[in-house]
Amino acid sequence: MTLMNVLVDFARTGRIGPLHCGMPLAEAEHLLGPGRPHPAHIMKGPDIDGYPYSWGGLKLDVTRRAVSGIWIHLWPGSTAKLPALVLPESESFEATVLREELITAALDTAGCEHHVNDTLTFGQQSSILTRPADVYAVFSLPGRDNHVPHRDRHYLDVMHKYTA
């Protein structure tokens, strides 16, 4: 399993392996191990809504103790970490994904429908929304501290899905 496989499966299904929006946080923590709660959970208690639990580059937003959002954060030009459940046999991985690689080489090849997301496409960033899974992918030009081969091309920053 590669990072690109994980991203394409997420884009097509809205799931990352057994992780999905609506599942109880307790079930997610059983699968992933204890997450690192956002400081708001620590200060205000576990019933505060809309703040994430983190496992490296994976974040799960929590509402009423259920998963309401799934996020994969990447840092172009760096090495990132995802739990073994998400990316088996890989403690860390190269987190640099070009927009064209994800869209043309992976999503189009897999037959995953996608459309430009005008809401998140502006300035130096662009975004797509996949169908029918409703997963967003947000790309941007690299920042000053990103060590990437092409400074004029868009790289994947985050993929996410959330429920209303």
Side-chain angles (χ1 to χ4, degrees):
M1 169 98 39
T2 66
L3 174 61
M4 194 62 77
N5 296 128
V6 171
L7 298 175
V8 170
D9 286 348
F10 186 32
R12 292 178 64 212
T13 66
R15 300 173 69 106
I16 298 176
L19 302 174
H20 60 90
C21 289
M23 74 186 304
L25 173 62
E27 184 180 336
E29 286 194 304
H30 176 74
L31 293 168
L32 295 164
R36 190 181 76 228
H38 187 278
H41 288 286
I42 295 167
M43 292 185 325
K44 299 203 176 222
D47 291 327
I48 189 166
D49 287 341
Y51 291 93
Y53 279 70
S54 302
W55 292 263
L58 173 71
K59 293 187 181 9
L60 301 179
D61 286 344
V62 177
T63 304
R64 291 184 216 106
R65 296 189 187 209
V67 174
S68 56
I70 301 173
W71 301 73
I72 294 179
H73 289 271
L74 301 178
W75 296 270
S78 69
T79 302
K81 294 182 180 186
L82 286 174
L85 177 75
V86 175
L87 192 58
E89 300 177 21
S90 178
E91 186 172 314
S92 60
F93 59 93
E94 172 60 39
T96 304
V97 177
L98 278 166
R99 184 178 196 272
E100 297 83 21
E101 288 174 353
L102 179 64
I103 293 174
T104 306
L107 297 181
D108 288 348
T109 300
C112 180
E113 183 180 341
H114 55 85
H115 305 277
V116 171
N117 174 12
D118 292 328
T119 305
L120 294 176
T121 298
F122 55 85
Q124 294 187 356
Q125 81 174 31
S126 63
S127 177
I128 60 169
L129 174 63
T130 67
R131 294 288 186 200
D134 293 332
V135 173
Y136 294 86
V138 181
F139 309 87
S140 69
L141 291 174
R144 179 177 54 208
D145 296 331
N146 297 119
H147 303 289
V148 296
H150 308 284
R151 307 232 24 101
D152 60 338
R153 295 171 71 186
H154 283 216
Y155 290 88
L156 180 62
D157 290 323
V158 66
M159 283 185 77
H160 63 94
K161 176 179 178 68
Y162 57 89
T163 57

